[in-house]
Amino acid sequence: MEQQLRDWLRYTVVLGFYVSPCKHQPIKHLVWAERPKVRFRYRLKIIYLYALLPWICVLYVNALIYRKFVAGVMLSWLLTMVFFSSQAFSNLLIAAEGIWRRQQHEEFLRRLQEIELSLKLRLKQDVNVGWLVRRVRCLLEYLLWLTFICYCLFIYNFAYLQYVGYFWYSIWFAITMRLRLIQLLIYVRVLQHYMKCLCMKLQQVVAYRMAPNRQLMDINYEKLQSLDYLLAIKEIYALLFKEFQLLNDFAGWSLFSIILSYMLDYGCTLYWALLSWEGYQERRKYCIACFWWFVPMTAIVWHLCLLCDNCMKLDRFIAELLSKIIITRSSKSLHSYRLLVHQFSTQLQLQYIEVTGKSFFTLNLRLLMSIGIAISTYMVIVIQFLTI
């Protein structure tokens, strides 16, 4: 799965998401004459990443200078300026993570291959990579096509509306933020699959320990009861936990800024929809444009939060399964096994697998409710301003 992700990530260099570190470039396997070309292309990509930072700043300042102020809509102009600033700030963080978090991102991808091989070789688990690649590709195509179609429909309905914001200046920002969330969503989807594979093997161990007399013919129970097998499960879990830590490390700030910017986006868009109902704009056309803007954004955020929530549930399910392993015999041969179960249980109690926005919030279904409450509160305040 690692190689497929790297193939897809090649196209994200333009947006500044990922460039493989130089020491991982396969230069030594190339012909001597080709090595300078590879190094040159790599340096060009790094230069491009560094050039993204001032380019984003120039685009932001240019929009502030050339966007004319519309009299009589001071509150609307202020809200859209704050929202546009949050988009620019999010893109700066995404580009900065692409530059200064390359090593963590590369380690994250490398460990995916390590987890896959550990499941295959140490636990004899069929990871079913072909099925996973097809499912992930379908998910990726679905989200990309949904984003593209809804974006085109939004622009078609939006082009003739009176607008005081910075939409035409922020198209690059909006596309980068959407694709960044889709990238992280794909990562979480792959990690969820690996967690399910680990749960399946742990379930077999628990079933054997709870009902040793009910054995199936196609399962090697002699291997299931061994200390090495449980140790392999523990080490693979540690790899998965490290993967989520790396994900939070190289993408935590961009997740925090994008979710915050989307909250402002929801608020601003609903505010403009409210103005359209008051007769400030053409009501029907603006509500249609609003709908096409909300659909892909809501689908991506909801899907990401759902996947993160499922990973947290699988983590707690692993802890629940491990607590069911009861060793009644007190022989010395089982002392090491019993000690390992205790250590693994303690580890699960102290460690929690979760995706966070730099610990400001945790991505799960509860976050969606919190966002809804915050937007509702914001709309109540805005309505009070409109009634004055």
Side-chain angles (χ1 to χ4, degrees):
M1 191 64 206
E2 176 201 14
Q3 188 57 47
Q4 286 80 4
L5 290 176
R6 291 183 187 276
D7 292 339
W8 295 337
L9 285 172
R10 289 182 304 173
Y11 305 103
T12 64
V13 175
V14 179
L15 302 174
F17 291 170
Y18 171 78
V19 172
S20 177
C22 186
K23 67 179 182 179
H24 292 288
Q25 294 289 327
I27 296 177
K28 62 182 180 180
H29 301 295
L30 298 176
V31 181
W32 181 83
E34 293 292 328
R35 295 180 184 179
K37 297 180 181 180
V38 174
R39 292 193 182 98
F40 178 71
R41 288 196 295 266
Y42 172 75
R43 292 194 183 104
L44 279 181
K45 293 176 183 178
I46 297 299
I47 293 172
Y48 175 78
L49 287 182
Y50 278 98
L52 269 180
L53 295 174
W55 184 82
I56 292 171
C57 296
V58 169
L59 183 61
Y60 173 71
V61 174
N62 179 73
L64 293 181
I65 293 174
Y66 289 99
R67 186 70 183 102
K68 296 181 180 180
F69 174 72
V70 180
V73 288
M74 180 64 185
L75 180 59
S76 300
W77 177 79
L78 180 63
L79 290 174
T80 52
M81 187 181 69
V82 171
F83 170 56
F84 178 65
S85 300
S86 70
Q87 287 183 315
F89 181 66
S90 297
N91 275 254
L92 280 174
L93 289 176
I94 292 172
E97 286 177 342
I99 296 172
W100 289 292
R101 292 287 185 252
R102 294 199 312 271
Q103 295 292 344
Q104 290 87 339
H105 199 166
E106 181 66 25
E107 185 180 358
F108 174 87
L109 294 172
R110 181 184 60 80
R111 284 178 180 269
L112 286 178
Q113 182 70 12
E114 186 177 351
I115 293 172
E116 181 181 327
L117 291 177
S118 297
L119 287 168
K120 288 181 179 178
L121 301 179
R122 301 186 65 182
L123 299 184
K124 305 301 180 183
Q125 171 66 33
D126 183 13
V127 182
N128 206 349
V129 178
W131 177 85
L132 176 61
V133 170
R134 290 192 297 271
R135 291 298 297 270
V136 171
R137 183 182 289 115
C138 290
L139 176 62
L140 180 61
E141 291 176 353
Y142 159 71
L143 293 175
L144 290 177
W145 277 111
L146 178 67
T147 300
F148 175 75
I149 293 173
C150 290
Y151 211 80
C152 292
L153 291 173
F154 171 78
I155 292 177
Y156 174 77
N157 289 277
F158 182 82
Y160 303 103
L161 297 176
Q162 183 183 3
Y163 182 61
V164 300
Y166 298 88
F167 173 76
W168 300 112
Y169 297 95
S170 65
I171 291 180
W172 175 274
F173 297 162
I175 292 175
T176 302
M177 292 164 61
R178 294 277 174 95
L179 295 181
R180 178 62 164 180
L181 277 190
I182 293 176
Q183 175 202 9
L184 300 179
L185 187 151
I186 295 300
Y187 287 169
V188 177
R189 176 65 183 86
V190 174
L191 290 175
Q192 176 189 290
H193 178 75
Y194 290 152
M195 290 188 71
K196 286 183 177 179
C197 293
L198 186 65
C199 285
M200 289 175 60
K201 283 302 178 181
L202 188 56
Q203 280 180 300
Q204 293 179 3
V205 175
V206 172
Y208 169 74
R209 290 294 175 182
M210 293 182 66
N213 296 325
R214 300 179 181 178
Q215 298 184 6
L216 301 177
M217 299 297 295
D218 57 344
I219 296 178
N220 186 357
Y221 286 96
E222 182 179 354
K223 189 174 182 63
L224 285 179
Q225 66 180 342
S226 65
L227 179 65
D228 292 338
Y229 200 82
L230 183 62
L231 182 61
I233 292 177
K234 181 178 181 295
E235 291 176 352
I236 293 174
Y237 175 83
L239 288 174
L240 286 167
F241 178 76
K242 182 62 177 178
E243 282 291 81
F244 281 95
Q245 282 188 320
L246 288 171
L247 181 65
N248 293 329
D249 191 20
F250 76 79
W253 280 115
S254 60
L255 266 176
F256 167 73
S257 60
I258 291 173
I259 295 299
L260 184 62
S261 179
Y262 274 11
M263 290 176 63
L264 293 173
D265 193 354
Y266 270 104
C268 289
T269 307
L270 288 175
Y271 171 72
W272 278 93
L274 182 63
L275 288 182
S276 71
W277 284 98
E278 294 292 327
Y280 181 78
Q281 293 183 329
E282 298 179 30
R283 183 178 65 184
R284 178 177 174 273
K285 289 186 177 180
Y286 192 82
C287 290
I288 294 175
C290 254
F291 173 78
W292 294 121
W293 182 253
F294 277 146
V295 168
M297 182 167 57
T298 304
I300 293 172
V301 174
W302 176 82
H303 208 136
L304 178 61
C305 290
L306 178 64
L307 289 174
C308 294
D309 193 77
N310 289 339
C311 289
M312 293 175 62
K313 290 179 179 178
L314 288 171
D315 179 46
R316 293 302 90 202
F317 182 57
I318 291 174
E320 180 184 347
L321 287 174
L322 197 65
S323 65
K324 295 179 179 179
I325 298 180
I326 301 175
I327 303 173
T328 56
R329 291 180 293 172
S330 59
S331 60
K332 292 182 179 180
S333 61
L334 292 175
H335 176 72
S336 298
Y337 197 96
R338 189 183 297 106
L339 180 61
L340 182 59
V341 170
H342 175 71
Q343 291 176 349
F344 196 6
S345 299
T346 303
Q347 178 183 353
L348 290 170
Q349 291 175 5
L350 298 177
Q351 295 177 345
Y352 293 93
I353 285 181
E354 58 186 11
V355 180
T356 66
K358 297 307 288 187
S359 300
F360 286 98
F361 52 77
T362 301
L363 271 74
N364 51 27
L365 295 180
R366 292 183 180 180
L367 178 64
L368 298 178
M369 183 177 296
S370 301
I371 292 175
I373 293 173
I375 294 174
S376 300
T377 305
Y378 163 78
M379 291 305 300
V380 169
I381 297 173
V382 169
I383 291 173
Q384 289 178 346
F385 273 100
L386 291 177
T387 56
I388 295 178

